[in-house]
Amino acid sequence: MLCCVTASTEANFVRQAMLEKMPAPDPTPDAVPTGKIIARNAGTLVDLDLTAQHRAFLAAATSDNTRRTYRSAVRHFLAWGGALPADEGSMIRYLLAYASTLNPRTLALRLTALSQWHIHQGFVDPASTPTVRKTLAGIARTHGKPKKKAKALPLEDLERIVAHLTSLDTLKARRDNALLQIGYFGGYRRSEIVNLDVTHVAWEPDGIVISLPRSKTDQQGEGIIKAIPYGEGLCCPAMALRAWLDAAGIVSGPLFRPVSKWNEVGTDALHAGSVNTILEACAKLIQLDYVPQLSSHSLRRGMATSAHRAGADFRDIKRQGGWRHDGTVQGYIDEAGRFEQNAALALLRRKSEGRT
């Protein structure tokens, strides 16, 4: 018998998920009978002793961010009045209800979450029918908007921030200085910055080598190694990090931690969202006029665009940022050279014969 999931039973899913330390509803097939696991393909049962291990592997197969996003999407569908398993008609009505108020990319993500829920629970997927997908395509053509992109932080503005933080000489300023420089010159995502640990850093004669065990593009845990050389000018990520660790007395555990107004250093790592807050606050200190356009991604974009302008090789930029696709890096390079590598430039600055 098919079980219908409605908004009224959503709380039961959440409570069960908390007890099992598993999210719900989840795109992974974790809704299994107590005491046994049904192997859908083979049709055999696994012993009770393996249940916890199996569930742990299912959870590990999906990243935490993806799981949270999918869970939010399913809850939104249920709050609208939808039921699971759903049918094609309810998918279309859901799209039409939010066609003019939600970004088409948001609707596409929510359809993906609903699609995954049905697939992994063993139901027919109503979110991927040709009619549903064509409806979404029509909404995108009618209501589509350009994707907002974080503005790249130029090296010159980072140097202004570093100079100001250095002049403050406070514990929080030392942390922010180290965090922004490591994030910028290491080309790190905000989730990677806050996950850095003292054990990940090796101090070498030419700089520091940071070995990150896992990242967004390294879900298999192969590890990403990045080298950050010593700086000869105003910026030196290695020395900024050393100054922060010494001042905070950190010898083990997370690199970047909260600092209270009483200058007490916490034991836990910063939340990923704190990177945005820190960058915004520091940008306001030097009165940058594009603060609303900044986010943690501005550090990675800034490294790529500034490195290109400084003559860095495409391969080196890609490796430092840990990008998997050439197209992403090429987009940053095109952004950096939009004025210098411009066909109109040759026309606007041409020298006409006979003109003095």
mmCIF file of all heavy atoms in Angstrom, residues 204-229:
data_model
loop_
_atom_site.group_PDB
_atom_site.id
_atom_site.type_symbol
_atom_site.label_atom_id
_atom_site.label_comp_id
_atom_site.label_asym_id
_atom_site.label_seq_id
_atom_site.Cartn_x
_atom_site.Cartn_y
_atom_site.Cartn_z
ATOM 1 N N GLU A 204 56.751 25.393 5.777
ATOM 2 C CA GLU A 204 57.907 25.088 4.945
ATOM 3 C C GLU A 204 58.787 26.331 4.780
ATOM 4 O O GLU A 204 58.345 27.452 5.057
ATOM 5 C CB GLU A 204 57.439 24.602 3.563
ATOM 6 C CG GLU A 204 56.488 23.408 3.586
ATOM 7 C CD GLU A 204 57.201 22.120 3.926
ATOM 8 O OE1 GLU A 204 58.449 22.119 3.917
ATOM 9 O OE2 GLU A 204 56.514 21.109 4.192
ATOM 10 N N PRO A 205 60.039 26.175 4.324
ATOM 11 C CA PRO A 205 60.916 27.338 4.134
ATOM 12 C C PRO A 205 60.358 28.371 3.166
ATOM 13 O O PRO A 205 60.639 29.568 3.299
ATOM 14 C CB PRO A 205 62.198 26.703 3.579
ATOM 15 C CG PRO A 205 62.184 25.306 4.090
ATOM 16 C CD PRO A 205 60.753 24.902 4.099
ATOM 17 N N ASP A 206 59.553 27.933 2.189
ATOM 18 C CA ASP A 206 59.033 28.864 1.185
ATOM 19 C C ASP A 206 57.612 29.336 1.469
ATOM 20 O O ASP A 206 57.061 30.151 0.713
ATOM 21 C CB ASP A 206 59.062 28.206 -0.195
ATOM 22 C CG ASP A 206 60.477 27.923 -0.665
ATOM 23 O OD1 ASP A 206 61.370 28.743 -0.369
ATOM 24 O OD2 ASP A 206 60.686 26.873 -1.307
ATOM 25 N N GLY A 207 56.983 28.829 2.528
ATOM 26 C CA GLY A 207 55.614 29.228 2.829
ATOM 27 C C GLY A 207 54.904 28.145 3.613
ATOM 28 O O GLY A 207 55.531 27.409 4.388
ATOM 29 N N ILE A 208 53.598 28.033 3.412
ATOM 30 C CA ILE A 208 52.820 27.010 4.101
ATOM 31 C C ILE A 208 52.147 26.098 3.078
ATOM 32 O O ILE A 208 51.791 26.535 1.980
ATOM 33 C CB ILE A 208 51.751 27.623 5.033
ATOM 34 C CG1 ILE A 208 50.841 28.596 4.278
ATOM 35 C CG2 ILE A 208 52.401 28.302 6.219
ATOM 36 C CD1 ILE A 208 49.732 29.177 5.128
ATOM 37 N N VAL A 209 51.992 24.849 3.466
ATOM 38 C CA VAL A 209 51.285 23.868 2.641
ATOM 39 C C VAL A 209 50.073 23.417 3.441
ATOM 40 O O VAL A 209 50.206 22.931 4.570
ATOM 41 C CB VAL A 209 52.175 22.669 2.295
ATOM 42 C CG1 VAL A 209 51.369 21.626 1.515
ATOM 43 C CG2 VAL A 209 53.390 23.116 1.485
ATOM 44 N N ILE A 210 48.898 23.606 2.874
ATOM 45 C CA ILE A 210 47.658 23.259 3.566
ATOM 46 C C ILE A 210 47.027 22.054 2.876
ATOM 47 O O ILE A 210 46.752 22.092 1.677
ATOM 48 C CB ILE A 210 46.675 24.443 3.575
ATOM 49 C CG1 ILE A 210 47.325 25.656 4.254
ATOM 50 C CG2 ILE A 210 45.381 24.061 4.274
ATOM 51 C CD1 ILE A 210 46.431 26.886 4.280
ATOM 52 N N SER A 211 46.804 20.993 3.643
ATOM 53 C CA SER A 211 46.204 19.765 3.124
ATOM 54 C C SER A 211 44.783 19.665 3.654
ATOM 55 O O SER A 211 44.571 19.356 4.835
ATOM 56 C CB SER A 211 47.014 18.544 3.555
ATOM 57 O OG SER A 211 48.361 18.654 3.124
ATOM 58 N N LEU A 212 43.820 19.920 2.791
ATOM 59 C CA LEU A 212 42.421 19.853 3.182
ATOM 60 C C LEU A 212 41.887 18.462 2.873
ATOM 61 O O LEU A 212 41.890 18.042 1.712
ATOM 62 C CB LEU A 212 41.617 20.909 2.428
ATOM 63 C CG LEU A 212 40.175 21.138 2.868
ATOM 64 C CD1 LEU A 212 40.143 21.697 4.291
ATOM 65 C CD2 LEU A 212 39.465 22.097 1.919
ATOM 66 N N PRO A 213 41.437 17.707 3.886
ATOM 67 C CA PRO A 213 41.016 16.317 3.660
ATOM 68 C C PRO A 213 39.815 16.177 2.728
ATOM 69 O O PRO A 213 39.712 15.207 1.990
ATOM 70 C CB PRO A 213 40.651 15.828 5.069
ATOM 71 C CG PRO A 213 41.349 16.750 5.997
ATOM 72 C CD PRO A 213 41.383 18.075 5.309
ATOM 73 N N ARG A 214 38.909 17.167 2.741
ATOM 74 C CA ARG A 214 37.698 17.033 1.944
ATOM 75 C C ARG A 214 37.158 18.414 1.597
ATOM 76 O O ARG A 214 37.313 19.368 2.359
ATOM 77 C CB ARG A 214 36.639 16.255 2.722
ATOM 78 C CG ARG A 214 35.422 15.860 1.904
ATOM 79 C CD ARG A 214 34.407 15.139 2.777
ATOM 80 N NE ARG A 214 34.956 13.923 3.362
ATOM 81 C CZ ARG A 214 34.953 12.749 2.764
ATOM 82 N NH1 ARG A 214 34.437 12.625 1.563
ATOM 83 N NH2 ARG A 214 35.455 11.691 3.353
ATOM 84 N N SER A 215 36.540 18.528 0.429
ATOM 85 C CA SER A 215 35.929 19.790 0.023
ATOM 86 C C SER A 215 34.725 19.506 -0.861
ATOM 87 O O SER A 215 34.392 18.350 -1.134
ATOM 88 C CB SER A 215 36.938 20.662 -0.744
ATOM 89 O OG SER A 215 37.165 20.148 -2.035
ATOM 90 N N LYS A 216 34.089 20.558 -1.349
ATOM 91 C CA LYS A 216 32.897 20.434 -2.174
ATOM 92 C C LYS A 216 33.154 19.608 -3.425
ATOM 93 O O LYS A 216 32.310 18.815 -3.850
ATOM 94 C CB LYS A 216 32.401 21.823 -2.563
ATOM 95 C CG LYS A 216 31.181 21.837 -3.470
ATOM 96 C CD LYS A 216 30.783 23.249 -3.801
ATOM 97 C CE LYS A 216 29.595 23.274 -4.766
ATOM 98 N NZ LYS A 216 29.196 24.659 -5.123
ATOM 99 N N THR A 217 34.307 19.786 -4.030
ATOM 100 C CA THR A 217 34.635 19.059 -5.262
ATOM 101 C C THR A 217 35.463 17.807 -4.992
ATOM 102 O O THR A 217 35.959 17.194 -5.917
ATOM 103 C CB THR A 217 35.403 19.977 -6.230
ATOM 104 O OG1 THR A 217 36.585 20.476 -5.586
ATOM 105 C CG2 THR A 217 34.543 21.160 -6.659
ATOM 106 N N ASP A 218 35.610 17.445 -3.722
ATOM 107 C CA ASP A 218 36.393 16.263 -3.363
ATOM 108 C C ASP A 218 35.615 15.443 -2.339
ATOM 109 O O ASP A 218 36.057 15.235 -1.221
ATOM 110 C CB ASP A 218 37.759 16.680 -2.791
ATOM 111 C CG ASP A 218 38.600 15.479 -2.364
ATOM 112 O OD1 ASP A 218 38.553 14.444 -3.058
ATOM 113 O OD2 ASP A 218 39.284 15.575 -1.326
ATOM 114 N N GLN A 219 34.425 14.992 -2.749
ATOM 115 C CA GLN A 219 33.553 14.260 -1.842
ATOM 116 C C GLN A 219 34.091 12.871 -1.498
ATOM 117 O O GLN A 219 33.638 12.250 -0.543
ATOM 118 C CB GLN A 219 32.153 14.142 -2.451
ATOM 119 C CG GLN A 219 31.430 15.474 -2.602
ATOM 120 C CD GLN A 219 31.177 16.160 -1.273
ATOM 121 O OE1 GLN A 219 30.890 15.521 -0.272
ATOM 122 N NE2 GLN A 219 31.311 17.479 -1.252
ATOM 123 N N GLN A 220 35.038 12.371 -2.280
ATOM 124 C CA GLN A 220 35.600 11.047 -2.015
ATOM 125 C C GLN A 220 36.719 11.087 -0.988
ATOM 126 O O GLN A 220 37.253 10.049 -0.607
ATOM 127 C CB GLN A 220 36.118 10.422 -3.319
ATOM 128 C CG GLN A 220 35.069 10.300 -4.407
ATOM 129 C CD GLN A 220 33.863 9.503 -3.975
ATOM 130 O OE1 GLN A 220 33.998 8.463 -3.335
ATOM 131 N NE2 GLN A 220 32.678 9.985 -4.317
ATOM 132 N N GLY A 221 37.095 12.266 -0.549
ATOM 133 C CA GLY A 221 38.104 12.390 0.497
ATOM 134 C C GLY A 221 39.519 12.121 0.039
ATOM 135 O O GLY A 221 40.347 11.652 0.828
ATOM 136 N N GLU A 222 39.818 12.407 -1.228
ATOM 137 C CA GLU A 222 41.178 12.197 -1.713
ATOM 138 C C GLU A 222 42.133 13.269 -1.184
ATOM 139 O O GLU A 222 43.336 13.068 -1.134
ATOM 140 C CB GLU A 222 41.186 12.195 -3.246
ATOM 141 C CG GLU A 222 40.387 11.038 -3.849
ATOM 142 C CD GLU A 222 40.384 11.067 -5.357
ATOM 143 O OE1 GLU A 222 41.004 11.991 -5.927
ATOM 144 O OE2 GLU A 222 39.767 10.187 -5.977
ATOM 145 N N GLY A 223 41.588 14.404 -0.813
ATOM 146 C CA GLY A 223 42.404 15.473 -0.248
ATOM 147 C C GLY A 223 42.857 16.482 -1.288
ATOM 148 O O GLY A 223 43.127 16.130 -2.434
ATOM 149 N N ILE A 224 42.902 17.753 -0.889
ATOM 150 C CA ILE A 224 43.367 18.837 -1.763
ATOM 151 C C ILE A 224 44.526 19.541 -1.070
ATOM 152 O O ILE A 224 44.403 19.973 0.075
ATOM 153 C CB ILE A 224 42.237 19.833 -2.062
ATOM 154 C CG1 ILE A 224 41.130 19.147 -2.862
ATOM 155 C CG2 ILE A 224 42.767 21.042 -2.816
ATOM 156 C CD1 ILE A 224 39.957 20.043 -3.169
ATOM 157 N N ILE A 225 45.645 19.630 -1.757
ATOM 158 C CA ILE A 225 46.838 20.248 -1.190
ATOM 159 C C ILE A 225 47.123 21.559 -1.916
ATOM 160 O O ILE A 225 47.198 21.596 -3.143
ATOM 161 C CB ILE A 225 48.061 19.309 -1.295
ATOM 162 C CG1 ILE A 225 47.779 18.007 -0.531
ATOM 163 C CG2 ILE A 225 49.311 19.989 -0.760
ATOM 164 C CD1 ILE A 225 48.892 16.975 -0.665
ATOM 165 N N LYS A 226 47.289 22.634 -1.143
ATOM 166 C CA LYS A 226 47.589 23.940 -1.717
ATOM 167 C C LYS A 226 48.785 24.552 -1.006
ATOM 168 O O LYS A 226 48.912 24.463 0.221
ATOM 169 C CB LYS A 226 46.383 24.876 -1.590
ATOM 170 C CG LYS A 226 45.163 24.425 -2.380
ATOM 171 C CD LYS A 226 44.045 25.445 -2.289
ATOM 172 C CE LYS A 226 42.822 25.000 -3.074
ATOM 173 N NZ LYS A 226 41.738 25.997 -3.044
ATOM 174 N N ALA A 227 49.650 25.159 -1.791
ATOM 175 C CA ALA A 227 50.814 25.857 -1.246
ATOM 176 C C ALA A 227 50.582 27.359 -1.332
ATOM 177 O O ALA A 227 50.104 27.867 -2.351
ATOM 178 C CB ALA A 227 52.071 25.478 -2.022
ATOM 179 N N ILE A 228 50.896 28.067 -0.259
ATOM 180 C CA ILE A 228 50.783 29.521 -0.229
ATOM 181 C C ILE A 228 52.147 30.081 0.147
ATOM 182 O O ILE A 228 52.593 29.938 1.292
ATOM 183 C CB ILE A 228 49.712 29.991 0.778
ATOM 184 C CG1 ILE A 228 48.358 29.338 0.464
ATOM 185 C CG2 ILE A 228 49.597 31.508 0.757
ATOM 186 C CD1 ILE A 228 47.249 29.732 1.430
ATOM 187 N N PRO A 229 52.848 30.715 -0.797
ATOM 188 C CA PRO A 229 54.197 31.224 -0.529
ATOM 189 C C PRO A 229 54.196 32.398 0.450
ATOM 190 O O PRO A 229 53.166 33.044 0.669
ATOM 191 C CB PRO A 229 54.680 31.676 -1.916
ATOM 192 C CG PRO A 229 53.730 31.059 -2.892
ATOM 193 C CD PRO A 229 52.425 30.939 -2.176
#
